[in-house]
C-alpha cells in the first residue's frame, strides 16, 4: 500500500464541480490525475474550468506560470474504470446514492491494483458499508471535500470500521499535502459537519415553510446575527438541494430521530431545482 509520499497517480471519478476541484488540487500537488467520466462533454467542461482556475491563480501570483501549465498537463481524461488500474489512490465524487457507489466500489476492487486506496467523497453514507462491498475494506476510507474544493480549507476524513491505521495515516498526510486542514470522524451518519449543518438548513426551510419570515430575512439574520458568510437557504442552494435532501434522509434513517425529517418545502424544491450554478457572488464570498 502506498504511503502519502508514494501517492503519485490519483484517479478521480466524476467530472462535476466536486470532481473537477479535487482533480485541480491533486494535479497542483504534483500527482498525475486520471479524471473519469462517461460524458465527454462533462470532461471537456471540467478541463476548461480547471485550466481557467489555475491560470487565475497564476495571474494573481499565487502559482507560477510553469507550475500552472505543468499541473494542467498532469491531467488526463479517461472514460472507463479500467483506465484507473494503475492509480495509487482513487477518489469517487459521483451521485450521493449508496447503491450506485457500492456498484462502483465492486468494479474498482476488481480492476485497481491490490495496493490502491479507495476513497469516497460522500457527505453522509457509511464508509463501513461501502468498504464491505470490496475485498479490501481496510483500504476504503472517506475523504469529504467541501465545495468548492480548491478554495475550502477543510477535508473531513472518515474511518470505516475496518479502515487500517496505515491507510488513515496515508490519506491524512496526503490531504495535508493538498494544503488542507484535516478533521477526523468516526463512521456515524452525517459525520461531523453535516450532522451539525443539515439540521440548521432544514430548520431554515421549516421557518420559511411555516411563515416565520421571508427567505431574505432568514438568511440576513443568520449572516449578520451569527457571522456566517452566507445564510442557510443560500448555502443549501450552494451545496445542492438534492444533496441536502439526501444527507437529511441518511441522518433520519440512520439515527431514527424525527428532528432530521426533511421539511416538505425542501423536498418540493429539490424536485424542481436540484442543480446549482457557481455565481460570481458566491465565488466572492469564498475568495
Amino acid at each position: 500500500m502506498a504511503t502519502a509520499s508514494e501517492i503519485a497517480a490519483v484517479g478521480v471519478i466524476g467530472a462535476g464541480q466536486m470532481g473537477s476541484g479535487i482533480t485541480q488540487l491533486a494535479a497542483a500537488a504534483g500527482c498525475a490525475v486520471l479524471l473519469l467520466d462517461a460524458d465527454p462533454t462533462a470532461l471537456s467542461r471540467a478541463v476548461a474550468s480547471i485550466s481557467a482556475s489555475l491560470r487565475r491563480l497564476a495571474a494573481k501570483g499565487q502559482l507560477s506560470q510553469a507550475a500552472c501549465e505543468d499541473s494542467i498537463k498532469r491531467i488526463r481524461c479517461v472514460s472507463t474504470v479500467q483506465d484507473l488500474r494503475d492509480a495509487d489512490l482513487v477518489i469517487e465524487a459521483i451521485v450521493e446514492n449508496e447503491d450506485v457507489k457500492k456498484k462502483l466500489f465492486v468494479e474498482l476492487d476488481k480492476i485497481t491494483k491490490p495496493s490502491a486506496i479507495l476513497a469516497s467523497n460522500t457527505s453522509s453514507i457509511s464508509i463501513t458499508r461501502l468498504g464491505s462491498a470490496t475485498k479490501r475494506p481496510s483500504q476504503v476510507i472517506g475523504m469529504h471535500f467541501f465545495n468548492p474544493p480548491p478554495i475550502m480549507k477543510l477535508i473531513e476524513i472518515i474511518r470505516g470500521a475496518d479502515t487500517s491505521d496505515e491507510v488513515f495515516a496515508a490519506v491524512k498526510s496526503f490531504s495535508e499535502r493538498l494544503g488542507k486542514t484535516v478533521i477526523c470522524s468516526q463512521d456515524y451518519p452525517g459525520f461531523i459537519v453535516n450532522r451539525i449543518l443539515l439540521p440548521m438548513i432544514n430548520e431554515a426551510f421549516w421557518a420559511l415553510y411555516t411563515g416565520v419570515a421571508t427567505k431574505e430575512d432568514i438568511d440576513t439574520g443568520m449572516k449578520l446575527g451569527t457571522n456566517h458568510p452566507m445564510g442557510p437557504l443560500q448555502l443549501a442552494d450552494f451545496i445542492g438541494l438534492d444533496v441536502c435532501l439526501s444527507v437529511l434522509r441518511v441522518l433520519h434513517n440512520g439515527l431514527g430521530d424525527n428532528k432530521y425529517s426533511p421539511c416538505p418545502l425542501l423536498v418540493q424544491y429539490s424536485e424542481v431545482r436540484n442543480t446549482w450554478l457557481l455565481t460570481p457572488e458566491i465565488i466572492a464570498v469564498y475568495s
Side-chain angles (χ1 to χ4, degrees):
M1 189 204 71
T3 64
S5 60
E6 293 169 340
I7 294 175
V10 176
V12 178
I13 305 177
Q17 191 166 315
M18 295 304 295
S20 297
I22 295 166
T23 296
Q24 177 180 324
L25 286 168
C31 297
V33 186
L34 301 164
L35 177 58
L36 168 63
D37 200 293
D39 181 357
T41 302
L43 288 170
S44 299
R45 188 166 55 241
V47 171
S49 173
I50 293 165
S51 300
S53 178
L54 287 168
R55 286 174 179 142
R56 279 196 300 272
L57 292 174
K60 293 178 181 178
Q62 298 174 9
L63 189 68
S64 73
Q65 193 62 46
C68 167
E69 297 305 321
D70 285 347
S71 296
I72 294 170
K73 289 175 185 175
R74 281 192 282 269
I75 300 168
R76 182 160 71 92
C77 294
V78 298
S79 57
T80 67
V81 175
Q82 285 80 1
D83 292 312
L84 305 181
R85 58 188 172 274
D86 294 323
D88 301 307
L89 167 67
V90 178
I91 305 168
E92 67 82 9
I94 63 171
V95 64
E96 190 72 351
N97 179 290
E98 183 171 335
D99 291 338
V100 175
K101 288 182 187 292
K102 277 184 174 178
K103 288 178 183 176
L104 174 61
F105 271 75
V106 168
E107 282 190 79
L108 290 172
D109 191 36
K110 293 176 181 175
I111 289 159
T112 55
K113 58 189 181 182
S115 61
I117 298 170
L118 307 182
S120 175
N121 181 51
T122 179
S123 54
S124 62
I125 294 169
S126 168
I127 300 303
T128 301
R129 292 201 299 270
L130 294 179
S132 71
T134 75
K135 295 179 180 177
R136 61 177 93 183
S138 65
Q139 291 163 234
V140 176
I141 196 166
M143 290 182 74
H144 181 203
F145 292 77
F146 292 80
N147 191 19
I151 296 173
M152 299 297 279
K153 297 178 173 62
L154 187 70
I155 292 181
E156 185 177 39
I157 295 179
I158 305 95
R159 298 184 67 154
D162 301 304
T163 305
S164 72
D165 291 342
E166 293 77 15
V167 165
F168 170 75
V171 170
K172 184 175 184 292
S173 295
F174 179 74
S175 300
E176 291 166 346
R177 180 175 149 195
L178 299 182
K180 302 303 183 183
T181 297
V182 174
I183 60 172
C184 306
S185 174
Q186 297 303 311
D187 194 16
Y188 288 94
F191 316 135
I192 300 170
V193 175
N194 282 332
R195 173 81 175 261
I196 297 166
L197 174 64
L198 265 296
M200 182 190 74
I201 288 175
N202 197 40
E203 196 62 32
F205 272 94
W206 277 108
L208 182 61
Y209 184 55
T210 55
V212 171
T214 65
K215 62 182 185 296
E216 292 81 8
D217 282 353
I218 291 167
D219 274 356
T220 299
M222 293 304 292
K223 284 168 65 177
L224 302 184
T226 62
N227 203 29
H228 290 189
M230 68 175 75
L233 297 172
Q234 187 181 23
L235 180 57
D237 250 355
F238 179 72
I239 294 168
L241 302 185
D242 54 337
V243 175
C244 290
L245 180 59
S246 174
V247 174
L248 278 166
R249 284 174 169 161
V250 168
L251 287 168
H252 190 212
N253 293 335
L255 299 171
D257 192 323
N258 281 335
K259 73 179 180 182
Y260 300 112
S261 179
C263 175
L265 190 63
L266 172 59
V267 176
Q268 179 186 351
Y269 277 11
S270 83
E271 290 172 350
V272 297
R273 48 193 294 262
N274 63 356
T275 57
W276 177 86
L277 298 176
L278 196 61
T279 65
E281 292 77 17
I282 300 296
I283 291 173
V285 170
Y286 285 95
S287 297

